[in-house]
Amino acid sequence: LKARGNSTRVTGVDARPDHARRALQRGLVDDIADLAEALPSAGLVILAVPVDAAATLLPRVLDCVPAGAVVTDAGSVKLPMARAAAGHRRRGRYVGSHPIAGTEYSGPDAAQPGLFAGRVCLLCDTESCDGDALEAVRGMYAAAGMRVLTMDAESHDRHAAYVSHLSHISSFVLARTVLEIEKSSAAIADLAGSGLASTVRLAKSAPRTWTSIFVENAASIAGALDAYRKNLADFQRMIAEGDEQGLYEAMTQANDIGRVLEGLDAQGRRAGPGEIPPDHGITRKEKST
Amino acid sequence: LKARGNSTRVTGVDARPDHARRALQRGLVDDIADLAEALPSAGLVILAVPVDAAATLLPRVLDCVPAGAVVTDAGSVKLPMARAAAGHRRRGRYVGSHPIAGTEYSGPDAAQPGLFAGRVCLLCDTESCDGDALEAVRGMYAAAGMRVLTMDAESHDRHAAYVSHLSHISSFVLARTVLEIEKSSAAIADLAGSGLASTVRLAKSAPRTWTSIFVENAASIAGALDAYRKNLADFQRMIAEGDEQGLYEAMTQANDIGRVLEGLDAQGRRAGPGEIPPDHGITRKEKST
């Protein structure tokens, strides 16, 4: 936002003084402050902390900001936030958001101008938001170049378990397994192709952040992990039985992920708004300009 | 090799006429031929076909090449090749190799100049090779810029199961699980961050190639998959129990993969030849020049 010149004054609040200093030094923020001193004059607050901490902070932040201020967050689990906001006298000022962009790195040195450009941002439970608060948050993400869609918090958490949280778990567990068995670091570095590096990239992500995501979204993740473990057991059985036909078919199905991630339908056309089934929980909205 | 100007005349043999034509068109080969007509005049033969086919072809190729010719392969499983060569009157002319470089794409359009530069190539069971054959193969990979190491075939297959084959399985199974549950392609494309794309990149790999790798290396893969599935079950249990400390520690261990893949030891130093334990099965050799 700073790089695009869309922001006014940005005050940074961070539990780690070294991170706060570094953010100031990089010009990501204009000044640093304590939470208590920053809130009473804030116009728009972005909570970007682990999801359990964000849910704990949210009512306190809503209590302390001026009446017309807007509060949003950037977490990967939305139901705990919805629950934390429910019934608050300022519920309408909170707009839950999930900008789907990031890397395995965290902290102020991981900030990249352009990271959000062309990516999707989900806004959740927008029917509970005041109209002006919603437009302020939508406008901020649109200014960062994001495509803004809406979804209810429950659907968000269920889908996120499959398309994001499960990848992280498989990556963390794969890295741990390889490290456990291959005692020599040099052997792993020598024998690993770029394939391993790609598959375990997410295993470099911050444990504090991901502990809270996994625990806060435990219910949806349980279903995703059950499905993954069942498919894994099937795959192992096919290998043990030398079931070449079954393996070939399973991998041919898996190949389809390439097409899907490019946003193409089975005919190779770019999927348009009309092609999301109505029961899917997603409402597509055009980017506000 | 063509791009580096190190090769003499290259004849391409391919079961698919369209691939053969394309390789000729791209200048990867100088001419195309049938296997039977190409072998009697070959100086060095590179078998680059699925590992089951390579093991079947190897004795026939050794039968048909001139007495001084050299035969190598580029497969990801080495024990079936070692067994196929064992006892052949020309065993010494075969040098099993595994250049550890590639992408999820296959066929002549996936060829890239520079793909091998700086990467590791393993030569297997070199004590069974004639000295001149070994030097020819080592020289070829060194000319492509590879770091050439040696290893016995059995150790190779066991390590490959962990550092390569397991990543492919986790990726294929993850892609299949996500596609199975998320019926809408548009939803996956919208909700997926770059994390999913990275974790399922290998799931775009060729099913024919990987069916044979998994079946031919079934014994080593079984151990790797058992370890992975056990760690996955532990991780799921910790999530279900809300064991934040356990999750945090497991992920902190997994984070170490970043350092390891950069070839650094626990002190952050670049691991040198002396740091591979002697019982590890790997012998480091300097790149021949």
Side-chain angles (χ1 to χ4, degrees), chain A residues 49-54 205-213, chain B residues 244 248 251-252:
Chain A
V49 292
V51 288
D52 57 334
S205 303
R208 172 70 183 89
T209 303
W210 285 93
T211 295
S212 69
I213 291 172
Chain B
E244 300 188 351
Y248 186 89
M251 288 188 271
T252 302

Side-chain angles (χ1 to χ4, degrees), chain A residues 216-233:
Chain A
E216 295 292 331
N217 201 23
S220 289
I221 287 172
L225 266 172
D226 286 342
Y228 181 60
R229 290 177 59 198
K230 183 192 164 299
N231 280 331
L232 204 53

Side-chain angles (χ1 to χ4, degrees), chain B:
Chain B
L1 288 169
K2 291 292 283 187
R4 290 193 167 226
N6 299 108
S7 64
T8 50
R9 186 165 191 83
V10 177
T11 296
V13 175
D14 203 296
R16 289 181 56 166
D18 57 329
H19 279 191
R21 272 194 306 274
R22 182 69 185 130
L24 193 60
Q25 191 181 20
R26 285 200 63 192
L28 306 175
V29 298
D30 299 299
D31 54 19
I32 55 180
D34 285 336
L35 187 61
E37 73 191 33
L39 291 178
S41 61
L44 188 148
V45 178
I46 306 171
L47 288 170
V49 292
V51 287
D52 57 334
T56 306
L57 273 174
L58 181 57
R60 182 179 154 205
V61 169
L62 286 171
D63 285 343
C64 298
V65 290
V70 176
V71 179
T72 187
D73 72 311
S76 302
V77 190
K78 304 266 57 112
L79 259 184
M81 297 301 287
R83 288 186 186 128
H88 195 285
R89 67 193 163 90
R90 289 181 173 163
R91 170 65 188 86
R93 309 313 298 164
Y94 167 67
V95 182
S97 68
H98 181 191
I100 305 177
T103 68
E104 65 273 37
Y105 303 111
S106 48
D109 283 314
Q112 299 172 16
L115 177 69
F116 289 172
R119 310 303 304 274
V120 165
C121 182
L122 290 169
L123 304 187
C124 288
D125 300 334
T126 51
E127 70 290 351
S128 305
C129 306
D130 293 350
D132 68 306
L134 183 58
E135 288 316 307
V137 173
R138 187 197 302 279
M140 175 182 73
Y141 287 116
M146 303 196 89
R147 195 155 58 93
V148 182
L149 308 178
T150 64
M151 189 180 242
D152 68 276
E154 196 176 336
S155 300
H156 170 279
D157 290 1
R158 201 174 59 243
H159 292 300
Y162 282 93
V163 301
S164 165
H165 306 168
L166 185 57
S167 315
H168 281 81
I169 293 170
S170 82
S171 190
F172 276 121
V173 173
L174 179 65
R176 206 174 161 217
T177 306
V178 172
L179 290 167
E180 214 170 68
I181 303 296
E182 294 286 354
K183 299 298 179 195
S184 160
S185 299
I188 299 176
D190 278 350
L191 296 171
S194 56
L196 181 63
S198 172
T199 322
V200 298
R201 179 171 73 81
L202 299 178
K204 296 185 258 176
S205 303
R208 171 69 183 90
T209 302
W210 285 92
T211 296
S212 69
I213 290 171
F214 296 149
V215 171
E216 296 292 330
N217 201 23
S220 289
I221 287 172
L225 266 172
D226 286 343
Y228 181 59
R229 290 176 59 198
K230 182 191 166 299
N231 280 331
L232 205 53
D234 281 352
F235 209 90
Q236 181 166 17
R237 180 190 47 72
M238 291 190 284
I239 294 174
E241 294 173 359
D243 179 1
E244 300 188 351
Q245 186 60 27
L247 288 168
Y248 186 89
E249 282 167 16
M251 288 188 271
T252 302
Q253 286 168 18
N255 282 170
D256 209 34
I257 198 76
R259 180 184 62 68
V260 164
L261 285 178
E262 287 167 12
L264 305 178
D265 67 15
Q267 283 73 45
R269 294 169 308 185
R270 187 142 309 268
E275 295 177 69
I276 295 188
D279 62 353
H280 200 278
I282 301 179
T283 311
R284 281 170 179 262
K285 296 260 178 144
E286 291 310 303
K287 197 163 81 178
S288 58
T289 46

Side-chain angles (χ1 to χ4, degrees), chain A residues 71-279:
Chain A
V71 180
T72 187
D73 72 310
S76 302
V77 190
K78 304 268 57 114
L79 260 183
M81 297 302 286
R83 289 188 184 126
H88 196 285
R89 66 191 163 92
R90 290 182 172 163
R91 170 63 187 89
R93 309 313 297 164
Y94 168 67
V95 182
S97 68
H98 181 191
I100 305 177
T103 68
E104 66 274 35
Y105 303 112
S106 48
D109 283 314
Q112 298 171 17
L115 178 69
F116 288 174
R119 311 303 304 274
V120 166
C121 182
L122 290 169
L123 303 186
C124 287
D125 300 334
T126 51
E127 69 290 349
S128 305
C129 306
D130 293 349
D132 68 307
L134 183 58
E135 287 317 306
V137 173
R138 190 199 299 283
M140 175 182 74
Y141 286 117
M146 302 197 89
R147 195 154 59 92
V148 181
L149 307 177
T150 65
M151 193 180 238
D152 67 275
E154 196 177 336
S155 300
H156 170 278
D157 290 1
R158 204 173 58 243
H159 292 301
Y162 281 93
V163 301
S164 167
H165 306 170
L166 185 57
S167 315
H168 281 81
I169 294 168
S170 82
S171 191
F172 277 120
V173 174
L174 180 65
R176 204 173 163 220
T177 307
V178 171
L179 290 166
E180 215 170 69
I181 302 296
E182 294 286 355
K183 299 298 179 196
S184 160
S185 299
I188 299 177
D190 279 350
L191 295 171
S194 56
L196 180 64
S198 173
T199 321
V200 299
R201 179 170 73 81
L202 299 178
K204 295 184 259 175
S205 303
R208 172 70 183 89
T209 303
W210 285 93
T211 295
S212 69
I213 291 172
F214 296 149
V215 170
E216 295 292 331
N217 201 23
S220 289
I221 287 172
L225 266 172
D226 286 342
Y228 181 60
R229 290 177 59 198
K230 183 192 164 299
N231 280 331
L232 204 53
D234 282 351
F235 208 91
Q236 182 167 16
R237 182 190 47 72
M238 290 190 285
I239 294 173
E241 293 173 358
D243 179 1
E244 299 187 351
Q245 185 60 27
L247 288 168
Y248 186 89
E249 283 167 14
M251 288 189 269
T252 303
Q253 285 166 19
N255 281 170
D256 209 34
I257 198 74
R259 179 183 60 68
V260 164
L261 285 178
E262 286 167 12
L264 305 177
D265 68 14
Q267 284 73 48
R269 293 169 310 185
R270 188 144 306 268
E275 296 176 68
I276 295 189
D279 63 352

